[in-house]
Structure formats: structure tokens, C-alpha cells
Amino acid sequence: MQKDSQTMPEIRFPELNVNTYKPNNPVEVTVVDNYIATLENSPNIIRHITFDVSDTELEGNVWPGQSVGIIPEGLTEPDGKPAKVRLYSVSSPGYGEDGKPHLISITVKRVIEEDLETRNLFLGLCSNYLSSLNPGDKVKMTGPSGKRFVLPENARDFNYLFFATGTGIAPYRSMLLDLYHRGFKKKAALIFGAPYRTDLLYDGLFSQLQTQHKHFHYLTSISREGTRPDGTKNYVQYQIEDASKVLQPMLHQSNTLIYICGLKGMESGVFKALAKNGYSEYLEISDRIEHLDPDQWTAEDLKKHVKPSSRLFVEVY
Ligand code: A2P
């Protein structure tokens, strides 16, 4: 396919307020809602938690893609020191949850894991603290944080490919709601990876957006309910090939931006899939490995010799 020869519009990042509230001067906000966002029969518990930030500097001041910090007050780290702040991407749009600028939401997975060697149970400190909160409870919040993994100021000038795994979906709920609220008319694709269908967060919302907007594509990669024909797992990066009919025309346009959010390591797969399928303009690949088949890139190659270009943004944890 012919590549689009148009020049890319300048990506203008907004002048954002950051760290208005720091760990040493957090603001107290109130929980107004805390509901399970995964489906009833999912073994995973992921919650959509909403806070009232009325009369604070956070009200109307969180841009899509930014995070807030939570301090799990009264709890201690394993070393006995007071619990530190944890960052969570905001999943409500810039105009506020349900259109109310004083309400902001985050998306939290209850972390419950077993160490397979020691068989010890590990409970995520902050995720379990947050998941057990009730409406009316008070929480210490910091932020907003983040300047780069955000929608550009001139957001309507671009097409978007949003790759998410698990709770990495949070910033895209914010961004997509915001984009369509602002009358966004260009193309967007959300590529969401989850273990089971029951773990698809905000599935109703994204399906509805797809019905309402003919240039919005919602693609899911369910990893534990079957494999691809060659036996590989259904991971988000393979949609670049498997859904090429939808994604190729977008990827070839010079005003397309890619965002990757979720599990640490997912960016490697997306980088390889982009390079393998001829979309190297989203990456800066050093001459040292340019001749290699991307499937042969080692972790070291990826670390040292492959960087995102100015059109690709990564937030993994
Ligand atoms: P799996 O765990 O089956 O290997 P969650 O955070 O809810 O567990 O979802 C994360 C999703 O991302 C799962 O479907 C998981 O698959 C998938 N996943 C795990 N590792 C990677 C990776 N390196 N690249 C892309 N997707 C991944």
C-alpha cells in the first residue's frame, strides 16, 4: 500500500499542571463510588473507583492520560516504613466522570498472587486498600502526574492506535470519551488484551462507541480462550497482522500516533510486530540491528537499539 506522503501535523503537548499535590502535601478527597468492572464470573477483581475532588486544584485540571497518586494511609511497607504513594492512570475524561468536573475515577486490580516457589500469598498493598474503600471514605491523593503519555492539545488532528493490556485500558477510557466529546472525526482503534472475555473492562462502552462512530474500531485479544492458527497466544501485537485490513490504512497515514499501556514487556512485542510488518517509522532502530529479523531481536537489542519515535508513547508497569 502507498504510504501517505502528507507531512505530519506538529504534536502540540498541552502545558499541564503537574504535582500540585506532592506526597508531602497530599489533598484529602472522598470516595463516591467503588464498583467491580469485570464481569460477575471473572476470577479477577478490577474496580472502577470514583473520587469527589471538589474545591481542590484537581477539579477540572486532570488531562486525559495523566495519573493521580494514592497514599494508603496507616499501612506500612514490608520494611516497616510508612506506605509510599502509588500512581494510577485516571480513567475518567477531562470533563469529569459523568460530565462532572469534580469527579475523577481510577481503575484498580486487586493484586492477589501466590509466590510459586515459597507458596506465600502476596497481597498488593495499595490495590487492596483501595478496593476495600466505601463511599464516604477519605483518601490522600497526589498529582496530577505525567506530561508525555497524554492526548496532544491538538488531539483532533491525529488518528490513534491504542494498545492496552489489563488495567492499561484506563487512560484510553479517558482519552476516547474526551475525544468524542470534542467532536473527534478521525480514525481510532482500541486493541485490548485480556485473559478471558469476562475480563474485558468497559466492554459495553467501547462496543457502543464502535456502533456510534464508524471510524472507531474496537479489537480484543483474548489470550486464554484459544490460540492463533500457528499456536501463538492471542496477544495485542498480533492484531497488526491479523486485523491488517483495518489497521494498515491507519498505520500508513502520517498523522497516526500509537500509544501502548499495560504490562511491562508488552512494548517489546508491539515494537517487533511494527518492524516486522514494515512500520519502522514509529521506531528509531539503530543500524546495529537494522539488518536482523525483528523476531531475532534479543531483550538487550530492544533495550539498547530500539526506541519509540516521536509518534509512539509507552506507559508500562
Ligand atoms: P496471558 O496472561 O494469558 O499470557 P491482565 O493484566 O488482566 O492479566 O491481562 C493482561 C493480558 O495481557 C493477558 O491477556 C495476558 O496474557 C496478556 N499478556 C501477557 N504478557 C504479554 C506480552 N508480553 N505482550 C502482550 N500481551 C501480554
Side-chain angles (χ1 to χ4, degrees):
M1 179 180 282
Q2 189 88 42
K3 296 215 177 185
D4 168 0
S5 59
Q6 270 185 315
T7 49
M8 187 185 72
E10 183 198 353
I11 306 171
R12 292 203 308 272
F13 286 102
E15 285 288 321
L16 294 173
N17 297 317
V18 287
N19 302 325
T20 314
Y21 298 105
K22 299 190 181 68
N24 60 3
N25 73 326
V27 66
E28 191 171 78
V29 300
T30 310
V31 177
V32 293
D33 207 357
N34 182 349
Y35 65 82
I36 294 184
T38 29
L39 295 185
E40 208 176 303
N41 47 352
S42 170
N44 296 311
I45 301 170
I46 303 180
R47 291 181 167 270
H48 184 79
I49 309 176
T50 304
F51 304 92
D52 185 339
V53 299
S54 293
D55 304 323
T56 76
E57 295 291 327
L58 295 171
E59 187 172 349
N61 260 327
V62 182
W63 186 265
Q66 283 196 297
S67 305
V68 290
I70 302 287
I71 302 174
E73 244 203 338
L75 298 183
T76 47
E77 302 289 349
D79 64 5
K81 293 194 177 140
K84 291 194 198 106
V85 67
R86 265 74 166 174
L87 293 183
Y88 293 88
S89 282
V90 168
S91 48
S92 48
Y95 56 89
E97 185 74 20
D98 297 329
K100 298 175 183 144
H102 65 284
L103 297 184
I104 62 175
S105 305
I106 59 175
T107 309
V108 180
K109 179 174 183 175
R110 241 189 216 280
V111 177
I112 306 172
E113 284 164 7
E114 187 189 278
D115 183 318
L116 293 179
E117 268 175 32
T118 63
R119 299 183 198 163
N120 286 338
L121 185 63
F122 171 78
L123 297 178
L125 189 82
C126 197
S127 69
N128 281 288
Y129 161 83
L130 280 166
S131 300
S132 301
L133 292 172
N134 289 302
D137 286 344
K138 307 280 183 198
V139 169
K140 292 277 168 25
M141 189 175 271
T142 67
S145 335
K147 283 185 161 185
R148 275 292 173 259
F149 193 89
V150 294
L151 277 184
E153 192 166 44
N154 50 335
R156 287 170 35 159
D157 293 348
F158 301 94
N159 304 307
Y160 297 92
L161 252 70
F162 294 131
F163 288 93
T165 52
T167 50
I169 197 74
Y172 304 138
R173 177 182 185 268
S174 170
M175 291 179 185
L176 285 163
L177 283 171
D178 217 87
L179 281 168
Y180 289 113
H181 182 71
R182 295 194 218 176
F184 175 69
K185 291 276 183 290
K186 296 213 174 342
K187 296 177 191 136
L190 173 65
I191 303 130
F192 184 16
Y196 300 99
R197 233 162 275 270
T198 49
D199 299 311
L200 287 173
L201 300 165
Y202 313 119
D203 184 58
L205 168 72
F206 299 131
S207 301
Q208 191 190 355
L209 286 179
Q210 182 167 241
T211 312
Q212 287 169 343
H213 304 280
K214 70 173 184 218
H215 296 309
F216 174 62
H217 302 278
Y218 172 45
L219 306 169
T220 57
S221 297
I222 308 298
S223 60
R224 302 190 195 172
E225 294 182 18
T227 59
R228 296 170 71 234
D230 68 359
T232 49
K233 273 188 145 180
N234 277 310
Y235 279 175
V236 285
Q237 60 266 34
Y238 300 127
Q239 296 281 9
I240 292 173
E241 220 169 294
D242 298 347
S244 66
K245 219 169 143 187
V246 169
L247 300 182
Q248 190 187 58
M250 293 177 67
L251 281 158
H252 277 312
Q253 281 190 285
S254 56
N255 62 336
T256 296
L257 305 180
I258 298 181
Y259 289 66
I260 300 172
C261 187
L263 291 178
K264 198 173 177 59
M266 72 177 284
E267 72 280 21
S268 309
V270 179
F271 287 3
K272 286 183 180 183
L274 286 169
K276 252 184 90 166
N277 290 281
Y279 304 115
S280 305
E281 61 271 33
Y282 294 91
L283 300 169
E284 285 174 13
I285 303 168
S286 101
D287 305 344
R288 295 271 295 276
I289 61 159
E290 219 169 23
H291 61 285
L292 291 178
D293 175 348
D295 275 338
Q296 291 173 352
W297 290 350
T298 61
E300 172 101 344
D301 288 336
L302 280 153
K303 204 167 146 201
K304 285 195 178 155
H305 303 302
V306 188
K307 301 266 172 292
S309 78
S310 60
R311 294 167 63 188
L312 192 153
F313 309 95
V314 180
E315 188 158 278
V316 289
Y317 38 83

